[in-house]
Amino acid sequence: MPLNKKPNKLESVSRALRTLSAGNRTLLRASDEQELLREMCKVIVEQGGYPIACVGYARNDENKTIQWMECAGMDKEHLQALFPSWAGTVVAKGAFGTAISTGKRSVATHVLTDPAYATSAHAQLMELATARGYASVTAFPLQVEGEILGALVMASADPEGFNDEELKLLNELADDLAYGIASLRMRIEHRKAQEAIAHLAYHDPLTDLPNRIHLRQRLEEAIELAKRQHHPVALLYLEIGQFHEINEILGHHAGDQLVQQLAARLAGAAKLDQLLARVGEAAFALLVQNAGADDAATEAQRLLDVLYDPVEISGLTIDAPVSAGIAMFPGHGSDAEALLRRANAAVRKAKPARGGYAFYSGQEQENALRLRLMGELRQAIGRNELRLYCQPKVTIASRRPFGAEALVRWEHPLHGSIPTGEFIKLAEQAALITPLTNWMLKAAFSQAYAWYEAGLARPLSVNLSAHDLHDSRLVERIRNLFSTWGLPPELIQFEITESALMEDPASARDTLARLKELGIELYIDDFGTGYSSLSYLQKLPVDWIKIDQSFVMPMTTSRDSALIVRSIIELGHNLGLRVVAEGVESQALWDQLGTWGCDVAQGFFVGQPMPADRFNEWETQWSRGPA
Ligand code: C2E
Ligand code: MG
Ligand code: MG
């Protein structure tokens, strides 16, 4: 249809419809705001046959500036020069300004013949209208998050303007555009929030340095690279001595300032290719790639020199004695955890007379550190420094939450969070499992009661160690806890690893049978790693099998793992047991487990372990479904 021919009603409705549907496709495809505006204007002109389409944003500044964002059918700069502002009288501000100030669509018809436009101020505009073949203009306000952001302006060749039906459809198009702008902006906000959360997870809030988790990851990557390229890696561990005394005498605020000042000095000294992290309350670590022992010693000396001068805090001059320990890959350890532990152990050997730093020199240092850690774990249990974390489980078929697993956490005041598997092992060696299990039982019952009180039927499962199974008083203690809290038995469950069961199968079975008498549901944890026989399994009074994450995680890439997982699910079901998969880290794993009929999933895809008071928030989010 030629642009300047007057369209009949049917034609105008059908071109508006065409524009609307092409506009919707644009809306779905656009990945940023500018692109969305550009494409939308283009669609209106190219698909709809309207001579001009533009989007302008109304600034609320002194001049009430219009910022023309995109325009099709004419030059944007030209438009900006003609219509710089939305202020003025109805006529002067035009359709755009009227739409902005009234919040309603506005239409200006007969622009070529209306005497209101026959002024010198409109001369250029008339020239434009004649040249571009339009005779009326309409503007639709764009309402984004409750505010009028700007307007979509369109011209028509018809001096009568647009008919009602057509206007209704175009209005819908403008509303869709506004919705598109809002959702793209929301997506950016979302991304920013996610980045902020990721930053929080990987950075220390006091110094904004990378934290221990971050360092561990980067150290693992550095080790992988070093293995391929055959070069060494050095890890320096820097500990502020007497930090507790400083905290006690001068207060925590002064302690924080001390850490911040030392962190700033270290950050200034660290080179671009090194990673500096805060790994404990009074400890920093520096990762130096491709560095031999000589380089590591030079770096340690350089950093200790930087920290040597006293620190000024609230008018006081404080000497902060810092010592450094060094561990090398591959000489002192071949994984991140070992290097961290050993660099830390080496700090104790550092003497000011010998430069204030020392290399890791063997098991003896590590044993000393372990011994100290055992003592500290004992204190931590006594001082209630452990934390209860809960990790959700979800029924796969219905996506409904199915309780949680209770997992213990230890935030060491100096060394930061200690990996759970590591201190559980320590507790097992130091005969600390009984006090640890007792702590956990109390915490779990009290939490289960809080949920029960709030009307939430959310079973909480507690892990038991091999040692617990031989503790003759365990079952009695659990019975007492049930009567203390008045909890129904289905709200507490227990998980026992397959390997713990296999340590002493007969006595394990006996303990499980007594727990079962209390009406409690039981899980075999880490199933697949403990080599239990089918006949033994049949005799165990358990309700659930938990497939170990080492089979679940590689399932989508390893046929062996897939086969094992599938067989365990079948085996479990044949024995009348329900099956949980742990380590469900992705949608792909979730989907695959679902098709194989696995009952329940647990893993990072569903939710990370979290403090119990964040559980309700998780559940709300989960029930909203995928973002
Ligand atoms: P578990 O009982 O098999 O618990 C599951 C472990 O896998 C947890 O590690 C959990 O954080 C981790 N996990 C869960 N989903 C995923 C995932 O998708 N990907 C990966 N990579 N990991 C996942 P956590 O908390 O470090 O605990 C390690 C082990 O320590 C536990 O293994 C359990 O055997 C033991 N444990 C934890 N809390 C206690 C406790 O209170 N008492 C006893 N005796 N043992 C405990
Ligand atoms: Mg478990
Ligand atoms: Mg497990």
Side-chain angles (χ1 to χ4, degrees):
M1 181 184 67
L3 294 181
N4 46 6
K5 183 181 155 252
K6 185 179 164 175
N8 65 31
K9 185 170 178 199
L10 196 65
E11 273 171 356
S12 23
V13 170
S14 97
R15 76 174 179 182
L17 262 175
R18 212 165 48 232
T19 316
L20 185 61
S21 91
N24 278 333
R25 283 198 297 278
T26 304
L27 214 59
L28 289 175
R29 274 197 298 260
S31 58
D32 76 56
E33 193 169 322
Q34 198 70 38
E35 181 193 345
L36 172 67
L37 302 180
R38 189 168 49 245
E39 290 303 312
M40 198 56 109
C41 292
K42 218 165 111 187
V43 154
I44 296 171
V45 170
E46 288 177 5
Q47 313 274 324
Y50 296 93
I52 297 176
C54 336
V55 175
Y57 286 176
R59 303 287 171 222
N60 252 326
D61 52 12
E62 207 182 322
N63 298 327
K64 303 215 173 215
T65 309
I66 305 178
Q67 187 183 353
W68 289 102
M69 303 297 294
E70 284 295 342
C71 188
M74 74 174 285
D75 180 47
K76 192 170 78 175
E77 278 67 41
H78 188 188
L79 184 69
Q80 187 71 52
L82 280 178
F83 290 99
S85 161
W86 54 280
T89 63
V90 171
V91 170
K93 67 184 168 189
F96 181 97
T98 311
I100 300 298
S101 47
T102 60
K104 296 203 178 77
R105 74 169 173 236
S106 81
V107 182
T109 52
H110 299 284
V111 291
L112 292 175
T113 48
D114 189 333
Y117 296 100
T119 70
S120 59
H122 289 94
Q124 277 191 311
L125 188 62
M126 289 303 107
E127 222 172 90
L128 174 77
T130 316
R132 301 294 308 139
Y134 77 80
S136 57
V137 179
T138 176
F140 301 93
L142 297 170
Q143 193 158 358
V144 173
E145 280 160 13
E147 281 183 24
I148 295 177
L149 173 69
L152 167 67
V153 183
M154 295 164 57
S156 165
D158 183 356
E160 294 290 331
F162 306 76
N163 67 53
D164 284 350
E165 200 65 18
E166 182 183 12
L167 277 177
K168 230 164 81 191
L169 291 167
L170 294 176
N171 215 357
E172 215 174 293
L173 178 76
D175 288 347
D176 288 350
L177 175 61
Y179 172 80
I181 296 170
S183 53
L184 284 173
R185 288 184 174 187
M186 200 136 71
R187 224 188 282 168
I188 291 174
E189 286 299 308
H190 219 87
R191 205 174 311 139
K192 275 199 205 137
Q194 273 172 343
E195 279 164 10
I197 291 169
H199 186 85
L200 276 181
Y202 289 102
H203 288 83
D204 160 52
L206 183 66
T207 60
D208 209 35
L209 287 177
N211 61 15
R212 194 182 178 100
I213 300 171
H214 192 154
L215 176 84
R216 204 184 298 149
Q217 279 186 1
R218 292 282 302 275
L219 187 53
E220 274 162 15
E221 288 163 14
I223 291 172
E224 281 312 307
L225 185 73
K227 275 184 193 160
R228 286 201 299 276
Q229 301 185 343
H230 307 291
H231 64 229
V233 174
L235 184 70
L236 276 58
Y237 201 100
L238 298 139
E239 203 169 275
I240 312 170
Q242 294 156 17
F243 186 68
H244 275 257
E245 287 80 348
I246 295 173
N247 257 342
E248 245 161 55
I249 298 167
L250 300 177
H252 284 277
H253 184 58
D256 284 354
Q257 283 181 299
L258 172 66
V259 169
Q260 279 171 324
Q261 291 200 24
L262 296 182
R265 283 193 207 171
L266 286 171
K271 296 176 185 162
L272 278 179
D273 57 352
Q274 302 175 337
L275 180 80
L276 174 71
R278 183 175 182 218
V279 291
E281 193 182 10
F284 302 98
L286 186 80
L287 164 64
V288 192
Q289 303 207 42
N290 203 358
D294 281 353
D295 309 315
T298 312
E299 284 306 283
Q301 197 58 71
R302 198 170 70 80
L303 294 187
L304 291 172
D305 286 349
V306 166
L307 300 176
Y308 183 77
D309 286 337
V311 176
E312 291 265 343
I313 292 171
S314 340
L316 285 175
T317 306
I318 299 171
D319 263 315
V322 178
S323 312
I326 305 171
M328 305 291 307
F329 168 85
H332 301 147
S334 55
D335 65 69
E337 237 0 276
L339 281 183
L340 255 166
R341 207 171 50 232
R342 291 177 175 171
N344 180 8
V347 173
R348 245 135 298 288
K349 269 283 184 66
K351 298 277 180 308
R354 280 190 245 135
Y357 67 89
F359 282 89
Y360 174 72
S361 67
Q363 200 60 36
E364 179 199 330
Q365 280 175 8
E366 211 179 326
N367 286 347
L369 186 71
R370 286 169 65 81
L371 268 177
R372 214 182 62 179
L373 219 51
M374 281 182 187
E376 285 169 347
L377 177 58
R378 191 184 306 276
Q379 282 179 347
I381 300 171
R383 289 188 194 151
N384 211 11
E385 280 171 15
L386 301 182
R387 291 288 163 263
L388 163 71
Y389 270 52
C390 299
Q391 188 180 28
K393 296 177 194 167
V394 167
T395 303
I396 299 180
S398 64
R399 284 190 99 254
R400 284 172 63 148
F402 178 83
E405 173 169 14
L407 294 162
V408 65
R409 292 288 179 265
W410 179 21
E411 191 66 32
H412 187 286
L414 273 181
H415 309 312
S417 69
I418 314 276
T420 301
E422 209 166 286
F423 76 82
I424 293 283
K425 221 185 309 160
L426 205 64
E428 277 163 353
Q429 289 160 0
L432 284 171
I433 276 294
T434 306
L436 189 138
T437 303
N438 283 346
W439 183 91
M440 196 53 173
L441 282 172
K442 278 190 197 143
F445 269 85
S446 137
Q447 183 56 53
Y449 175 75
W451 284 337
Y452 178 56
E453 263 282 293
L456 301 161
R458 194 181 277 164
L460 189 55
S461 63
V462 178
N463 290 284
L464 294 177
S465 285
H467 182 84
D468 292 316
L469 298 178
H470 307 301
D471 176 355
S472 55
R473 285 166 304 178
L474 175 82
V475 180
E476 197 44 42
R477 267 201 304 270
I478 292 171
R479 193 200 308 275
N480 288 341
L481 280 163
F482 272 112
S483 53
T484 304
W485 292 98
L487 274 184
E490 59 273 15
L491 291 186
I492 293 285
Q493 308 172 327
F494 289 102
E495 301 191 3
I496 304 105
T497 61
E498 188 187 15
S499 48
L501 291 173
M502 295 315 288
E503 269 185 32
D504 181 355
S507 106
R509 208 172 71 198
D510 181 51
T511 307
L512 295 197
R514 290 171 56 214
L515 286 172
K516 199 74 223 149
E517 276 169 20
L518 300 179
I520 303 170
E521 293 201 350
L522 303 173
Y523 292 76
I524 306 185
D525 203 350
D526 300 351
F527 189 80
T529 59
Y531 310 104
S532 56
S533 70
L534 195 59
S535 62
Y536 175 66
L537 204 58
Q538 273 173 322
K539 289 187 207 132
L540 279 180
V542 294
D543 309 271
W544 292 89
I545 290 183
K546 271 186 112 167
I547 313 174
D548 192 62
Q549 44 185 278
S550 62
F551 303 115
V552 176
M553 290 195 297
M555 211 175 77
T556 41
T557 50
S558 147
R559 283 179 56 190
D560 285 350
S561 304
L563 195 67
I564 294 172
V565 171
R566 207 173 167 173
S567 317
I568 298 178
I569 296 171
E570 272 173 30
L571 168 81
H573 287 164
N574 287 342
L575 291 173
L577 305 175
R578 280 163 292 165
V579 182
V580 187
E582 35 171 58
V584 182
E585 285 191 347
S586 64
Q587 175 87 51
L589 291 176
W590 166 281
D591 291 343
Q592 185 64 84
L593 290 160
T595 54
W596 290 340
C598 182
D599 302 278
V600 167
Q602 179 181 348
F604 296 170
F605 173 68
V606 173
Q608 301 247 358
M610 62 193 88
D613 57 11
R614 296 236 306 272
F615 208 90
N616 286 347
E617 202 180 306
W618 167 83
E619 197 167 282
T620 315
Q621 233 169 26
W622 174 260
S623 58
R624 273 200 216 120

